[in-house]
Amino acid sequence: MNGVVSSNTLLLEEIQKKMEEEKVQFLLASFSDMNGTSRAKLVPAKRLSSVCESGAGFAGFAIGDLGHGPTDPDILCIPDLRSMTILPWQKNLAWFAGTLTEDGTPWSYCTRTILLNVMEKAKKLGYEMKTGVEPEFFLLNEDEQGGISPSDSLDVAKKPCYNQLALMRNYDFLSTLINYMEELDWNVAQADHEDANGQFEINFEFADALTSADRLTFFKYMVRSMAEERNLVATFMPKPFSHLTGNGCHMHLSLWDGAKNIFSNEKDIKGNGLSETGYHFIGGLLKHARALSAIVCPTVNSYKRLTAMSTSSGQTWAPNQISYGGNNRTQLVRIPGSGRIEFRAMDNNANPYLATAAILAAGLDGIEQKVDPDVIISEFSGINEVFGIQINTLPATLQEAIIELEQDSVLLEALGKDFMKTYINRKKEEWSEYHDFISSWEIEKYLKETN
């Protein structure tokens, strides 16, 4: 314990020194709520030490339905010093990802803590998960009536993917974003114009699962802030336009033991460069795919991306079959190269910490139970033939996904039963809100056209 205290003290001193050198005046003590929305308090930099010791207080009841009433004590956000990120566009401000405590103990409704708990289980089994994410987003204009359209009025091609002219018309935004990310040492690989008009994607280097979740959280904040500065709207919404390809957040992942990639196997007889452990991890993802959907695709809108039949480009790119394969983008789990896999269902409405925790928990169950992904697919096909139900597809709606999640004891246990009970209840309410709302399409279809 003394060694840990000493290490933390040294890190605090190092961070304080850097903040002084960089002339940082304020810090954001930030955390993600159940839905992945960032919550924060602005704290003078000179208060860093006391905030690390006693936390920044939040009234849990004010944040949403997270197990707190108005009479409960504050939840306390403890900044993780390792996550310090000086804002490239506002250098006197540093952002810290925090974990939440209540009465001095970890709070079971803290999604970052949930991820840390699953990571600790993996560590005890000898695994560290490393992830890389590919967040997609739209840059939009919003008119006075609230209507949205791509911010680039010339971006109208039916197949705009990789369009060089459209890419370069957005050069200022994208190059500034990349420079910011390079300043943060994220090691950007590339940026491209995606399959929809006004849609872009940035790829950057993989890291340990917690760091990647922190970076994705900050990335979304950074992109939205940059868009607001330019009087634009940046959205990560899964399906903002019915006729265009939606936004995904593909996750590349692998398990490591120190410097050894446990997923790597050059002698893989299937030719994918994947180890037996890697295939078992995939088996876990396929086994839990339908329940997992409620976490990685957590909104009503998510399923309009997953179930899209066609778009103006002729492609959807979103998986809906519970399947895996080699370098094939139609699969739920793609194996793009030796030693790693890509999980393609996740979208950016997912809480990065909760989604990562759920994916890891499902994969670990596959390893522990030695789940063969080919057997899972075969079993699904068999059920299909006998009962005539499409259990080999992902859920078609949020309601369907929540029903699956309620029955998945592995995920409920791994993510915390109390938290998951609240999560499931809130998602049921969300479905009811959607179901009970009368849309303009319904008015047009059933009032005007039929009367």
Side-chain angles (χ1 to χ4, degrees):
M1 179 62 71
N2 290 337
V4 173
V5 173
S6 176
S7 176
N8 289 342
T9 300
L10 289 173
L11 182 56
L12 176 59
E13 292 174 353
E14 180 183 330
I15 294 297
Q16 287 174 320
K17 182 179 179 181
K18 182 172 183 178
M19 291 174 70
E20 289 175 6
E21 291 173 349
E22 300 290 337
K23 296 182 172 54
V24 173
Q25 296 175 304
F26 294 93
L27 63 93
L28 283 170
S30 177
F31 68 95
S32 292
D33 66 15
M34 181 180 71
N35 295 317
T37 302
S38 292
R39 311 280 184 163
K41 277 196 172 181
L42 187 65
V43 180
K46 66 181 180 181
R47 302 287 298 176
L48 176 61
S49 179
S50 62
V51 171
C52 287
E53 182 177 344
S54 57
F58 293 81
F61 181 69
I63 297 166
D65 185 13
L66 286 179
H68 260 204
T71 62
D72 286 308
D74 282 359
I75 53 173
L76 301 172
C77 177
I78 309 295
D80 186 335
L81 293 172
R82 300 166 298 177
S83 71
M84 186 185 77
T85 306
I86 296 175
L87 276 59
W89 67 97
Q90 193 170 342
K91 296 182 185 297
N92 67 338
L93 178 62
W95 177 88
F96 289 86
T99 50
L100 301 175
T101 64
E102 182 184 40
D103 293 331
T105 58
W107 197 37
S108 61
Y109 289 86
C110 172
T111 56
R112 197 169 187 270
T113 297
I114 290 171
L115 173 56
L116 286 167
N117 290 341
V118 181
M119 289 173 62
E120 181 62 25
K121 177 182 177 180
K123 183 179 179 181
K124 290 178 179 178
L125 296 171
Y127 307 128
E128 177 190 18
M129 186 166 81
K130 296 186 179 182
T131 62
V133 292
E134 298 177 345
E136 297 171 338
F137 62 93
F138 282 87
L139 289 178
L140 307 174
N141 284 324
E142 183 176 6
D143 61 32
E144 293 181 357
Q145 289 73 42
I148 57 172
S149 60
S151 61
D152 180 0
S153 61
L154 299 178
D155 190 354
V156 295
K158 287 187 176 181
K159 287 185 176 291
C161 198
Y162 308 128
N163 187 294
Q164 182 171 293
L165 282 172
L167 180 72
M168 296 312 292
R169 283 195 298 270
N170 291 274
Y171 175 80
D172 175 68
F173 187 96
L174 295 173
S175 62
T176 300
L177 176 58
I178 290 170
N179 285 334
Y180 286 167
M181 296 167 74
E182 289 292 275
E183 190 174 321
L184 298 173
D185 294 325
W186 289 10
N187 195 13
V188 175
Q190 58 191 15
D192 65 73
H193 188 298
E194 275 295 322
D195 194 64
N197 308 109
Q199 185 186 40
F200 303 92
E201 178 183 280
I202 310 287
N203 303 144
F204 50 100
E205 190 172 31
F206 70 94
D208 67 272
L210 182 66
T211 298
S212 287
D214 286 341
R215 287 178 177 176
L216 179 55
T217 300
F218 185 82
F219 177 84
K220 292 195 286 186
Y221 166 59
M222 178 163 57
V223 170
R224 287 170 176 148
S225 296
M226 287 180 58
E228 286 182 5
E229 286 181 355
R230 293 161 173 78
N231 294 316
L232 302 176
V233 174
T235 183
F236 296 86
M237 181 179 176
K239 189 72 170 170
F241 299 100
S242 60
H243 67 293
L244 297 179
T245 305
N247 285 322
C249 186
H250 307 146
M251 179 182 287
H252 293 254
L253 60 96
S254 52
L255 292 186
W256 293 70
D257 180 4
K260 180 183 178 182
N261 183 347
I262 297 172
F263 276 11
S264 182
N265 177 20
E266 296 179 359
K267 299 179 180 179
D268 177 10
I269 60 174
K270 295 182 180 180
N272 294 314
L274 203 63
S275 68
E276 185 178 44
T277 300
Y279 283 113
H280 289 156
F281 194 101
I282 291 174
L285 294 179
L286 301 186
K287 173 185 174 184
H288 296 282
R290 288 176 60 80
L292 195 57
S293 297
I295 304 292
V296 300
C297 301
T299 67
V300 166
N301 185 255
S302 298
Y303 296 85
K304 297 188 176 183
R305 166 183 167 259
L306 285 184
T307 61
M309 298 304 295
S310 64
T311 65
S312 60
S313 73
Q315 303 295 334
T316 67
W317 302 110
N320 56 27
Q321 297 287 325
I322 299 175
S323 60
Y324 83 99
N327 197 358
N328 179 346
R329 286 180 169 83
T330 68
Q331 307 283 3
L332 172 62
V333 180
R334 170 181 170 236
I335 309 173
S338 176
R340 65 186 167 103
I341 63 175
E342 178 188 24
F343 183 75
R344 294 181 57 81
M346 178 175 158
D347 67 50
N348 281 298
N349 272 171
N351 179 309
Y353 304 102
L354 191 62
T356 305
I359 289 169
L360 178 55
L364 290 179
D365 183 59
I367 293 172
E368 290 180 298
Q369 302 300 323
K370 298 187 183 301
V371 177
D372 184 337
D374 294 319
V375 171
I376 290 291
I377 292 172
S378 175
E379 287 178 351
F380 283 173
S381 299
I383 294 174
N384 239 347
E385 293 167 6
V386 175
F387 297 104
I389 56 176
Q390 292 187 328
I391 199 168
N392 62 333
T393 61
L394 294 176
T397 65
L398 177 62
Q399 182 189 42
E400 192 178 333
I402 287 298
I403 291 172
E404 295 288 342
L405 181 58
E406 282 186 297
Q407 300 170 16
D408 195 309
S409 59
V410 170
L411 292 184
L412 297 180
E413 185 71 34
L415 303 179
K417 290 182 178 180
D418 289 342
F419 174 84
M420 291 310 297
K421 180 179 179 181
T422 302
Y423 181 89
I424 288 169
N425 286 340
R426 181 64 194 97
K427 289 302 170 181
K428 286 181 176 179
E429 292 170 6
E430 189 173 330
W431 173 259
S432 294
E433 290 170 17
Y434 167 72
H435 183 269
D436 294 344
F437 178 75
I438 307 302
S439 68
S440 58
W441 181 89
E442 290 171 281
I443 298 295
E444 187 70 29
K445 184 75 174 178
Y446 303 120
L447 189 153
K448 297 182 179 179
E449 290 188 11
T450 60
N451 288 333

Short mmCIF file of all heavy atoms in Angstrom, two decimals, residues 109-146:
data_model
loop_
_atom_site.label_atom_id
_atom_site.label_comp_id
_atom_site.label_asym_id
_atom_site.label_seq_id
_atom_site.Cartn_x
_atom_site.Cartn_y
_atom_site.Cartn_z
N TYR A 109 -22.73 2.42 -9.96
CA TYR A 109 -23.33 3.00 -11.16
C TYR A 109 -22.33 3.78 -12.00
O TYR A 109 -22.70 4.41 -12.99
CB TYR A 109 -24.49 3.92 -10.77
CG TYR A 109 -25.70 3.18 -10.24
CD1 TYR A 109 -25.80 2.83 -8.90
CD2 TYR A 109 -26.74 2.82 -11.09
CE1 TYR A 109 -26.90 2.14 -8.41
CE2 TYR A 109 -27.84 2.13 -10.62
CZ TYR A 109 -27.92 1.79 -9.28
OH TYR A 109 -29.01 1.10 -8.81
N CYS A 110 -21.06 3.73 -11.63
CA CYS A 110 -20.01 4.40 -12.40
C CYS A 110 -19.58 3.48 -13.53
O CYS A 110 -19.02 2.40 -13.29
CB CYS A 110 -18.82 4.74 -11.51
SG CYS A 110 -17.38 5.36 -12.40
N THR A 111 -19.82 3.88 -14.78
CA THR A 111 -19.53 2.99 -15.90
C THR A 111 -18.02 2.79 -16.09
O THR A 111 -17.59 1.74 -16.57
CB THR A 111 -20.15 3.53 -17.19
OG1 THR A 111 -19.70 4.88 -17.44
CG2 THR A 111 -21.68 3.53 -17.08
N ARG A 112 -17.22 3.78 -15.71
CA ARG A 112 -15.76 3.60 -15.81
C ARG A 112 -15.30 2.56 -14.79
O ARG A 112 -14.41 1.75 -15.07
CB ARG A 112 -15.06 4.94 -15.58
CG ARG A 112 -13.59 4.98 -16.06
CD ARG A 112 -13.08 6.41 -16.05
NE ARG A 112 -11.74 6.51 -16.64
CZ ARG A 112 -10.61 6.40 -15.98
NH1 ARG A 112 -10.63 6.16 -14.67
NH2 ARG A 112 -9.44 6.52 -16.58
N THR A 113 -15.90 2.57 -13.61
CA THR A 113 -15.59 1.57 -12.60
C THR A 113 -16.03 0.18 -13.06
O THR A 113 -15.33 -0.82 -12.83
CB THR A 113 -16.27 1.91 -11.26
OG1 THR A 113 -15.75 3.16 -10.79
CG2 THR A 113 -16.01 0.85 -10.20
N ILE A 114 -17.18 0.09 -13.72
CA ILE A 114 -17.65 -1.20 -14.25
C ILE A 114 -16.62 -1.77 -15.22
O ILE A 114 -16.28 -2.96 -15.17
CB ILE A 114 -19.02 -1.02 -14.92
CG1 ILE A 114 -20.10 -0.75 -13.87
CG2 ILE A 114 -19.39 -2.28 -15.74
CD1 ILE A 114 -21.44 -0.34 -14.44
N LEU A 115 -16.08 -0.92 -16.10
CA LEU A 115 -15.04 -1.38 -17.03
C LEU A 115 -13.80 -1.82 -16.26
O LEU A 115 -13.22 -2.88 -16.57
CB LEU A 115 -14.68 -0.28 -18.02
CG LEU A 115 -13.49 -0.57 -18.95
CD1 LEU A 115 -13.67 -1.86 -19.73
CD2 LEU A 115 -13.25 0.60 -19.90
N LEU A 116 -13.38 -1.06 -15.27
CA LEU A 116 -12.21 -1.42 -14.48
C LEU A 116 -12.41 -2.77 -13.80
O LEU A 116 -11.47 -3.57 -13.70
CB LEU A 116 -11.91 -0.34 -13.44
CG LEU A 116 -11.29 0.96 -13.98
CD1 LEU A 116 -11.35 2.06 -12.93
CD2 LEU A 116 -9.84 0.72 -14.40
N ASN A 117 -13.63 -3.05 -13.34
CA ASN A 117 -13.91 -4.33 -12.68
C ASN A 117 -13.76 -5.50 -13.64
O ASN A 117 -13.19 -6.55 -13.30
CB ASN A 117 -15.32 -4.32 -12.09
CG ASN A 117 -15.45 -3.40 -10.89
OD1 ASN A 117 -14.46 -3.02 -10.27
ND2 ASN A 117 -16.67 -3.00 -10.58
N VAL A 118 -14.28 -5.35 -14.87
CA VAL A 118 -14.17 -6.42 -15.86
C VAL A 118 -12.71 -6.58 -16.29
O VAL A 118 -12.23 -7.70 -16.50
CB VAL A 118 -15.09 -6.16 -17.06
CG1 VAL A 118 -14.98 -7.30 -18.08
CG2 VAL A 118 -16.54 -6.03 -16.61
N MET A 119 -12.00 -5.46 -16.42
CA MET A 119 -10.58 -5.52 -16.76
C MET A 119 -9.78 -6.24 -15.68
O MET A 119 -8.83 -6.98 -15.97
CB MET A 119 -10.03 -4.11 -16.97
CG MET A 119 -10.51 -3.43 -18.24
SD MET A 119 -10.01 -1.68 -18.35
CE MET A 119 -8.22 -1.84 -18.35
N GLU A 120 -10.17 -6.05 -14.43
CA GLU A 120 -9.48 -6.73 -13.33
C GLU A 120 -9.71 -8.23 -13.40
O GLU A 120 -8.79 -9.02 -13.14
CB GLU A 120 -9.98 -6.18 -11.99
CG GLU A 120 -9.31 -6.79 -10.76
CD GLU A 120 -7.81 -6.53 -10.68
OE1 GLU A 120 -7.34 -5.54 -11.28
OE2 GLU A 120 -7.10 -7.34 -10.03
N LYS A 121 -10.92 -8.64 -13.75
CA LYS A 121 -11.18 -10.07 -13.93
C LYS A 121 -10.30 -10.63 -15.05
O LYS A 121 -9.71 -11.71 -14.91
CB LYS A 121 -12.65 -10.31 -14.25
CG LYS A 121 -12.95 -11.79 -14.51
CD LYS A 121 -14.40 -12.05 -14.90
CE LYS A 121 -14.61 -13.53 -15.20
NZ LYS A 121 -16.01 -13.83 -15.60
N ALA A 122 -10.21 -9.89 -16.14
CA ALA A 122 -9.37 -10.33 -17.26
C ALA A 122 -7.91 -10.44 -16.83
O ALA A 122 -7.21 -11.39 -17.21
CB ALA A 122 -9.51 -9.36 -18.43
N LYS A 123 -7.47 -9.48 -16.04
CA LYS A 123 -6.08 -9.48 -15.57
C LYS A 123 -5.78 -10.72 -14.74
O LYS A 123 -4.70 -11.32 -14.87
CB LYS A 123 -5.82 -8.21 -14.75
CG LYS A 123 -4.38 -8.06 -14.27
CD LYS A 123 -4.20 -6.76 -13.49
CE LYS A 123 -2.77 -6.61 -12.98
NZ LYS A 123 -2.61 -5.35 -12.22
N LYS A 124 -6.73 -11.12 -13.90
CA LYS A 124 -6.54 -12.31 -13.08
C LYS A 124 -6.44 -13.58 -13.93
O LYS A 124 -5.84 -14.56 -13.52
CB LYS A 124 -7.68 -12.44 -12.06
CG LYS A 124 -7.64 -11.38 -10.96
CD LYS A 124 -8.81 -11.52 -10.01
CE LYS A 124 -8.74 -10.46 -8.91
NZ LYS A 124 -9.91 -10.54 -7.99
N LEU A 125 -7.05 -13.53 -15.10
CA LEU A 125 -6.98 -14.66 -16.03
C LEU A 125 -5.75 -14.58 -16.93
O LEU A 125 -5.51 -15.47 -17.74
CB LEU A 125 -8.25 -14.71 -16.89
CG LEU A 125 -9.56 -14.98 -16.15
CD1 LEU A 125 -10.75 -14.79 -17.08
CD2 LEU A 125 -9.57 -16.39 -15.56
N GLY A 126 -4.99 -13.49 -16.78
CA GLY A 126 -3.76 -13.32 -17.56
C GLY A 126 -3.94 -12.54 -18.84
O GLY A 126 -3.09 -12.61 -19.74
N TYR A 127 -5.03 -11.74 -18.95
CA TYR A 127 -5.32 -11.03 -20.19
C TYR A 127 -5.41 -9.52 -19.98
O TYR A 127 -5.95 -9.04 -18.97
CB TYR A 127 -6.66 -11.49 -20.79
CG TYR A 127 -6.80 -12.98 -20.98
CD1 TYR A 127 -7.90 -13.66 -20.48
CD2 TYR A 127 -5.84 -13.70 -21.67
CE1 TYR A 127 -8.04 -15.02 -20.65
CE2 TYR A 127 -5.97 -15.08 -21.85
CZ TYR A 127 -7.08 -15.73 -21.34
OH TYR A 127 -7.21 -17.09 -21.52
N GLU A 128 -4.93 -8.79 -20.95
CA GLU A 128 -5.18 -7.36 -21.06
C GLU A 128 -5.75 -7.10 -22.44
O GLU A 128 -5.15 -7.48 -23.45
CB GLU A 128 -3.89 -6.54 -20.88
CG GLU A 128 -4.12 -5.04 -21.06
CD GLU A 128 -2.83 -4.23 -21.13
OE1 GLU A 128 -1.76 -4.82 -21.39
OE2 GLU A 128 -2.90 -3.00 -20.94
N MET A 129 -6.92 -6.45 -22.49
CA MET A 129 -7.52 -6.17 -23.79
C MET A 129 -7.04 -4.81 -24.30
O MET A 129 -7.07 -3.82 -23.57
CB MET A 129 -9.05 -6.18 -23.72
CG MET A 129 -9.70 -6.04 -25.10
SD MET A 129 -11.46 -6.45 -25.15
CE MET A 129 -12.18 -4.93 -24.53
N LYS A 130 -6.61 -4.80 -25.55
CA LYS A 130 -6.26 -3.56 -26.23
C LYS A 130 -7.28 -3.32 -27.33
O LYS A 130 -7.71 -4.26 -28.02
CB LYS A 130 -4.85 -3.62 -26.78
CG LYS A 130 -3.79 -3.75 -25.68
CD LYS A 130 -2.38 -3.66 -26.23
CE LYS A 130 -1.35 -3.78 -25.11
NZ LYS A 130 0.04 -3.64 -25.60
N THR A 131 -7.67 -2.08 -27.48
CA THR A 131 -8.72 -1.75 -28.45
C THR A 131 -8.34 -0.53 -29.28
O THR A 131 -7.58 0.34 -28.85
CB THR A 131 -10.06 -1.46 -27.74
OG1 THR A 131 -9.90 -0.31 -26.90
CG2 THR A 131 -10.52 -2.64 -26.92
N GLY A 132 -8.89 -0.49 -30.46
CA GLY A 132 -8.81 0.68 -31.32
C GLY A 132 -10.19 0.93 -31.89
O GLY A 132 -10.88 -0.01 -32.31
N VAL A 133 -10.65 2.16 -31.87
CA VAL A 133 -12.00 2.47 -32.32
C VAL A 133 -11.97 3.32 -33.59
O VAL A 133 -11.01 4.04 -33.85
CB VAL A 133 -12.82 3.20 -31.22
CG1 VAL A 133 -13.11 2.26 -30.07
CG2 VAL A 133 -12.09 4.45 -30.72
N GLU A 134 -13.04 3.21 -34.37
CA GLU A 134 -13.19 3.96 -35.61
C GLU A 134 -14.49 4.76 -35.57
O GLU A 134 -15.52 4.32 -36.10
CB GLU A 134 -13.19 3.01 -36.82
CG GLU A 134 -11.91 2.22 -36.98
CD GLU A 134 -11.97 1.23 -38.13
OE1 GLU A 134 -13.09 0.95 -38.62
OE2 GLU A 134 -10.90 0.75 -38.53
N PRO A 135 -14.49 5.92 -34.92
CA PRO A 135 -15.72 6.69 -34.79
C PRO A 135 -16.09 7.44 -36.08
O PRO A 135 -15.25 8.10 -36.69
CB PRO A 135 -15.41 7.68 -33.66
CG PRO A 135 -13.92 7.83 -33.69
CD PRO A 135 -13.37 6.52 -34.18
N GLU A 136 -17.33 7.30 -36.49
CA GLU A 136 -17.86 8.02 -37.66
C GLU A 136 -18.78 9.13 -37.19
O GLU A 136 -19.49 8.99 -36.19
CB GLU A 136 -18.61 7.05 -38.57
CG GLU A 136 -17.73 5.95 -39.15
CD GLU A 136 -18.50 4.87 -39.88
OE1 GLU A 136 -19.70 4.70 -39.61
OE2 GLU A 136 -17.88 4.17 -40.71
N PHE A 137 -18.79 10.23 -37.94
CA PHE A 137 -19.64 11.37 -37.56
C PHE A 137 -20.03 12.17 -38.80
O PHE A 137 -19.37 12.10 -39.85
CB PHE A 137 -18.93 12.27 -36.54
CG PHE A 137 -17.64 12.89 -37.04
CD1 PHE A 137 -17.64 14.16 -37.63
CD2 PHE A 137 -16.44 12.21 -36.93
CE1 PHE A 137 -16.45 14.73 -38.08
CE2 PHE A 137 -15.24 12.78 -37.38
CZ PHE A 137 -15.26 14.04 -37.96
N PHE A 138 -21.10 12.94 -38.67
CA PHE A 138 -21.55 13.85 -39.72
C PHE A 138 -21.24 15.29 -39.31
O PHE A 138 -21.36 15.64 -38.12
CB PHE A 138 -23.07 13.75 -39.92
CG PHE A 138 -23.53 12.56 -40.70
CD1 PHE A 138 -23.78 11.34 -40.07
CD2 PHE A 138 -23.76 12.66 -42.06
CE1 PHE A 138 -24.23 10.26 -40.79
CE2 PHE A 138 -24.22 11.57 -42.79
CZ PHE A 138 -24.46 10.36 -42.17
N LEU A 139 -20.90 16.13 -40.29
CA LEU A 139 -20.84 17.57 -40.10
C LEU A 139 -22.06 18.16 -40.80
O LEU A 139 -22.24 17.97 -42.02
CB LEU A 139 -19.55 18.15 -40.69
CG LEU A 139 -18.27 17.82 -39.94
CD1 LEU A 139 -17.06 18.42 -40.66
CD2 LEU A 139 -18.32 18.34 -38.50
N LEU A 140 -22.89 18.89 -40.05
CA LEU A 140 -24.19 19.32 -40.55
C LEU A 140 -24.43 20.81 -40.35
O LEU A 140 -23.81 21.45 -39.48
CB LEU A 140 -25.31 18.56 -39.82
CG LEU A 140 -25.23 17.03 -39.80
CD1 LEU A 140 -26.32 16.46 -38.92
CD2 LEU A 140 -25.33 16.47 -41.22
N ASN A 141 -25.34 21.34 -41.14
CA ASN A 141 -25.95 22.63 -40.89
C ASN A 141 -27.34 22.40 -40.33
O ASN A 141 -28.01 21.42 -40.67
CB ASN A 141 -26.08 23.45 -42.19
CG ASN A 141 -24.75 24.04 -42.64
OD1 ASN A 141 -23.95 24.45 -41.80
ND2 ASN A 141 -24.52 24.08 -43.94
N GLU A 142 -27.77 23.31 -39.46
CA GLU A 142 -29.14 23.25 -38.92
C GLU A 142 -29.84 24.55 -39.25
O GLU A 142 -29.32 25.63 -38.97
CB GLU A 142 -29.11 23.03 -37.41
CG GLU A 142 -30.49 22.88 -36.80
CD GLU A 142 -30.46 22.57 -35.31
OE1 GLU A 142 -29.35 22.58 -34.73
OE2 GLU A 142 -31.52 22.31 -34.73
N ASP A 143 -31.02 24.46 -39.87
CA ASP A 143 -31.75 25.67 -40.23
C ASP A 143 -32.62 26.16 -39.08
O ASP A 143 -32.67 25.53 -38.01
CB ASP A 143 -32.57 25.46 -41.51
CG ASP A 143 -33.63 24.36 -41.37
OD1 ASP A 143 -34.16 24.17 -40.25
OD2 ASP A 143 -33.93 23.69 -42.37
N GLU A 144 -33.32 27.26 -39.30
CA GLU A 144 -34.11 27.88 -38.23
C GLU A 144 -35.27 27.00 -37.78
O GLU A 144 -35.77 27.14 -36.66
CB GLU A 144 -34.64 29.24 -38.71
CG GLU A 144 -33.54 30.27 -38.92
CD GLU A 144 -34.09 31.60 -39.38
OE1 GLU A 144 -35.32 31.70 -39.59
OE2 GLU A 144 -33.29 32.55 -39.54
N GLN A 145 -35.70 26.12 -38.65
CA GLN A 145 -36.80 25.21 -38.28
C GLN A 145 -36.31 23.90 -37.65
O GLN A 145 -37.10 23.03 -37.30
CB GLN A 145 -37.63 24.86 -39.53
CG GLN A 145 -38.47 26.00 -40.07
CD GLN A 145 -37.64 27.07 -40.76
OE1 GLN A 145 -36.71 26.75 -41.51
NE2 GLN A 145 -37.95 28.33 -40.49
N GLY A 146 -34.98 23.79 -37.48
CA GLY A 146 -34.42 22.58 -36.88
C GLY A 146 -34.07 21.50 -37.88
O GLY A 146 -33.64 20.41 -37.49
#
